[in-house]
Amino acid sequence: MTPHRARRRAVLLLATAAALVVTGCTAEKKDDAKTGSSGAPAAPPAPKVAPGVTADSIKIGITYPDLDSVKQFVNIDHGPYEAAYNALIKKINDAGGINGRKIVPVFGKINLISPAAAQETCVKLTQDEKVFAVLGNFNGDEPLCYVQTNKTAAIGGQLTAKRYAQAQAPWFSDTRGGDEVGDGMALFNKDNGLAGKKVAVLSNVNEQAVMKDTVIPALQKLGITPVETGVLDAPATDAAAIGQQTGVFIQKFQASGVDTIVVVGSMGASFPQVLEQTKYRPRLLFTDNLQVQAYANDKGKHDFTTLANAAALGLNTLWSEAANQECMNTVEAALPDFKGKLTVDPASLPAGTPTPQIAPNVACRNLALFKAIADKAGKDLSYETFQNAGFTLGAFQDPGNVDKATYAQATPHGAIPARLFTFDTATQKFAVSAS
C-alpha cells in the first residue's frame, strides 16, 4: 500500500458511511466554475482578515472521522488521528512555529452515521472557535461549509473546479476529486488504442458527476462516443441489489457489443467481482487504481481473467519517500506503542489487518501543505497573504508522492499528474507504466 492508497482507504470508508446517511452542510450549487480573464480559476475573496491569529499563535481546526461510529458496519483502524497531529505540531512548534507563531489545534471528531455531525463540527470550528483554517480529509461537499458558508480557509478535501467556484475563502488541497481523470483519458488512448472500440462507461450514483462532467466529455474530445453508460444506484448496504443491477449492466453492454468499459471510481472494487461470474471479458479501464487493486488483493478468491489487459489511473506514490518517512518517524518517536509500525509499507501487511499509518499520513500531508503556505505568507499573516502565498508556492513535495505538486492560481489542487498503471498477471498487481 502506497501513501495514496492509505489515504484513499480512508476516503473509501467515508464514502461508504456517506452512502448510509447524508452528511455535510447545505451549500449553494452552481453549474459552472468561475474563471478569470486568463482562463484560470478566479481567486476566492481573500480579505486582510486573520481569525484565530495572535502575535504568537495560530489557531487551526482539524477534522477527522470517528471510526467507532461505524464499527457496526466496518471495522477499520486508521491509527490515532489526534495523537499523530499533536506529535507533528509539537515538532513544528519546538522548532519555532510558523514565523514565530505556535500552532494551536482544535479538533473536531465527526460521527460518520450522524447526518448533522459534519455541520455541527463546521459550526464549532468556524463560529465558536473562530479558527484561521480547517484541515481535514473532508468527504464530498463538506469543504463548502467552511470555504463557502462560513468563509473560513481550508486545507484538504476533494477540490474540484465546481466546488472551487463556490469558495469564499482560500482553499488548497492535494486532491482533485476526479477532475484529474479527464487528463487520464488520453493515457488510456495512448497510440490511439481506443480507435474503433465500442466503449461503455460505468459509475455509481455518488460518482455520476465524474462520469458525466469529466469522463464522457474527455472521451468525446478524443473522438470517442460511448455506446452505453450505466449508473449503479442500489443501496451500498444491499449486496444482492448491487450484484443484480450490475448484472443487468453487463448483459446490456455485452448485447451492444461493448469491448471496452471505463469503470469510474469505487465501482472498480465491485464490478470485476460480478463480471467474473460470467464469460464476458471486455477490456477494463479503471479511473482509480486503488479501487481495483482492492479487488486484486484478494488473491485466491477471484478469477483474474477479468483483468487481462486492464489499465488504471492513479498517482505515482512511494511509502519510503523521504518526507513521508520523516513524518512517520516523528509520530513513532512520540508514540512508543507504534514504534516500528508506521514506517512499514502498509502494502506488506496482510489484507484485513489494522493500518495505523493512515492517520499519520493524512496529518503529515495536511500540515506540510499548511505550513509551507503559511511560512511563505510571512509574519503579516492574513487570508490575503495566505492565498497569495499559495498561488506562488510553485513546486511542492507532497509527502509520499513521487511526482511533485505545483501550486499556482490555476492549480490550487497541486495538479499532481495521474499516471497509467497496467495489470501484471504474474504479480496480480497494477504497476505504473514505464511509458
Side-chain angles (χ1 to χ4, degrees):
M1 183 186 297
T2 61
H4 185 55
R5 186 170 302 155
R7 77 190 67 161
R8 284 290 299 172
R9 182 177 286 185
V11 172
L12 288 179
L13 176 60
L14 301 184
T16 300
L20 301 174
V21 297
V22 178
T23 63
C25 59
T26 302
E28 179 186 359
K29 300 294 183 182
K30 299 180 182 179
D31 290 334
D32 299 311
K34 59 189 177 184
T35 58
S37 58
S38 65
K48 292 182 179 180
V49 297
V53 176
T54 69
D56 56 10
S57 68
I58 308 170
K59 185 191 291 188
I60 64 171
I62 296 172
T63 71
Y64 67 94
D66 177 8
L67 299 184
D68 287 339
S69 67
V70 293
K71 276 191 174 180
Q72 58 184 310
F73 304 108
V74 58
N75 187 14
I76 296 181
D77 181 1
H78 286 182
Y81 276 98
E82 289 195 23
Y85 271 105
N86 281 330
L88 296 171
I89 289 171
K90 183 178 186 302
K91 183 177 180 180
I92 294 171
N93 288 343
D94 287 350
I98 297 177
N99 295 313
R101 293 186 175 96
K102 301 295 180 68
I103 297 175
V104 178
V106 180
F107 292 96
K109 181 168 62 173
I110 298 177
N111 183 325
L112 296 177
I113 59 173
S114 168
Q119 176 149 356
E120 289 170 353
T121 297
C122 173
V123 170
K124 168 192 169 183
L125 297 177
T126 60
Q127 298 181 24
D128 298 339
E129 295 290 346
K130 294 180 172 57
V131 299
F132 178 78
V134 178
L135 285 59
N137 204 18
F138 306 106
N139 189 45
D141 284 341
E142 285 178 14
L144 295 181
C145 188
Y146 299 96
V147 299
Q148 182 191 32
T149 307
N150 290 285
K151 301 179 180 179
T152 301
I155 297 288
Q158 300 175 47
L159 197 160
T160 65
K162 284 189 173 182
R163 291 186 183 120
Y164 192 68
Q166 301 169 64
Q168 296 294 308
W171 182 16
F172 298 94
S173 181
D174 62 2
T175 305
R176 296 178 65 185
D179 283 359
E180 75 282 0
V181 170
D183 302 333
M185 290 301 106
L187 298 178
F188 286 151
N189 193 44
K190 185 178 180 296
D191 298 327
N192 210 24
L194 295 180
K197 301 296 183 182
K198 288 191 173 182
V199 178
V201 184
L202 179 67
S203 78
N204 66 31
V205 68
N206 294 323
E207 295 161 310
Q208 183 178 5
V210 176
M211 180 184 81
K212 293 177 60 179
D213 300 337
T214 303
V215 173
I216 292 177
L219 288 171
Q220 291 173 334
K221 187 176 180 180
L222 296 170
I224 302 157
T225 299
V227 298
E228 294 284 359
T229 62
V231 177
L232 181 78
D233 59 8
T237 54
D238 192 339
I242 291 173
Q244 182 179 23
Q245 191 174 52
T246 303
V248 171
F249 292 140
I250 290 173
Q251 292 175 5
K252 182 175 72 169
F253 294 168
Q254 187 171 18
S256 297
V258 169
D259 53 27
T260 305
I261 302 176
V262 178
V263 184
V264 177
S266 58
M267 286 296 294
S270 61
F271 180 70
Q273 298 184 47
V274 182
L275 183 66
E276 69 181 27
Q277 300 171 30
T278 74
K279 295 183 179 180
Y280 179 42
R281 291 294 181 268
R283 186 186 184 204
L284 302 183
L285 303 175
F286 300 92
T287 67
D288 190 333
N289 70 309
L290 304 181
Q291 300 283 353
V292 65
Q293 188 62 57
Y295 164 75
N297 283 343
D298 282 339
K299 293 178 173 55
K301 298 181 180 180
H302 299 291
D303 174 8
F304 291 127
T305 61
T306 55
L307 301 181
N309 202 28
L313 301 175
L315 300 185
N316 189 12
T317 58
L318 186 66
W319 192 258
S320 60
E321 186 275 321
N324 184 61
Q325 285 291 297
E326 181 180 353
C327 284
M328 298 303 112
N329 282 316
T330 297
V331 178
E332 282 192 2
L335 305 174
D337 288 347
F338 291 91
K339 185 66 177 177
K341 297 180 180 180
L342 306 182
T343 54
V344 176
D345 187 346
S348 65
L349 301 177
T353 58
T355 51
Q357 300 94 330
I358 291 178
N361 178 256
V362 170
C364 179
R365 290 167 35 239
N366 287 336
L367 282 170
L369 181 56
F370 174 76
K371 182 179 185 300
I373 297 174
D375 274 340
K376 188 175 179 64
K379 189 69 176 177
D380 182 19
L381 180 63
S382 68
Y383 279 176
E384 181 183 56
T385 62
F386 186 77
Q387 180 162 271
N388 288 340
F391 286 166
T392 57
L393 187 62
F396 171 75
Q397 182 60 61
D398 191 47
N401 276 300
V402 174
D403 299 309
K404 287 189 175 182
T406 302
Y407 286 94
Q409 180 172 334
T411 57
H413 43 62
I416 303 172
R419 299 297 184 188
L420 183 69
F421 289 72
T422 54
F423 186 68
D424 185 332
T425 55
T427 62
Q428 295 182 344
K429 292 183 178 180
F430 283 83
V432 65
S433 175
S435 57

